[in-house]
Amino acid sequence: MDAPNRRTILAGAAAGLASLTGCAKYGEPQSTPAPAPAHAVLGKTTDIPVGGGKIFAPQQVVVTQPAKGTFKGFSSICTHLSCPVASVANGTINCDCHGSKYSITDGAVVHGPAPRPLPPKQLTISGDAITLT
């Protein structure tokens, strides 16, 4: 049997690396899915609790209602290592990967290691419908 040539070895190594890139460990950044299309209807205003919020994972948006009738939209991707945020509780948007917390009012970092606030997302409220614009 002939010894493998350089091209065969490199092709095998590339295939092996490609199969590993799909695996992410807990706490590691995940690949960022494509952003939501403009004008995606997210839900109803009644879905968003006052003083809290709701994560719309497919659209990568978190909608909060810091005060009755005031709705804010932010990216749901943590600015630390691009993990998706996991919850909204006690006035903060929370990332479970490394403990970052953001304000539901303006997306500012309340607790690191996140280096930057969550980017805002533009919302339109029409009646009781919340639309990502």
Side-chain angles (χ1 to χ4, degrees):
M1 180 171 176
D2 292 331
N5 64 30
R6 183 174 178 206
R7 186 176 301 182
T8 304
I9 292 171
L10 290 176
L17 287 175
S19 69
L20 291 176
T21 59
C23 300
K25 294 179 185 172
Y26 175 77
E28 289 184 352
Q30 299 177 3
S31 63
T32 304
H39 307 292
V41 176
L42 299 174
K44 295 183 176 191
T45 56
T46 54
D47 296 336
I48 314 301
V50 176
K54 182 175 179 181
I55 299 164
F56 296 90
Q59 294 86 7
Q60 298 181 355
V61 176
V62 57
V63 177
T64 65
Q65 187 176 186
K68 186 175 172 117
T70 301
F71 297 91
K72 302 285 184 165
F74 305 100
S75 169
S76 65
I77 304 301
C78 181
T79 61
H80 177 232
L81 288 177
S82 301
C83 291
V85 297
S87 65
V88 181
N90 302 316
T92 59
I93 302 164
N94 310 300
C95 181
D96 288 349
C97 286
H98 299 103
S100 293
K101 296 180 183 288
Y102 302 89
S103 167
I104 64 168
T105 303
D106 60 6
V109 176
V110 173
H111 184 273
R116 294 175 308 283
L118 290 174
K121 296 286 186 174
Q122 185 68 39
L123 303 175
T124 299
I125 309 299
S126 180
D128 68 348
I130 302 170
T131 304
L132 178 63
T133 53

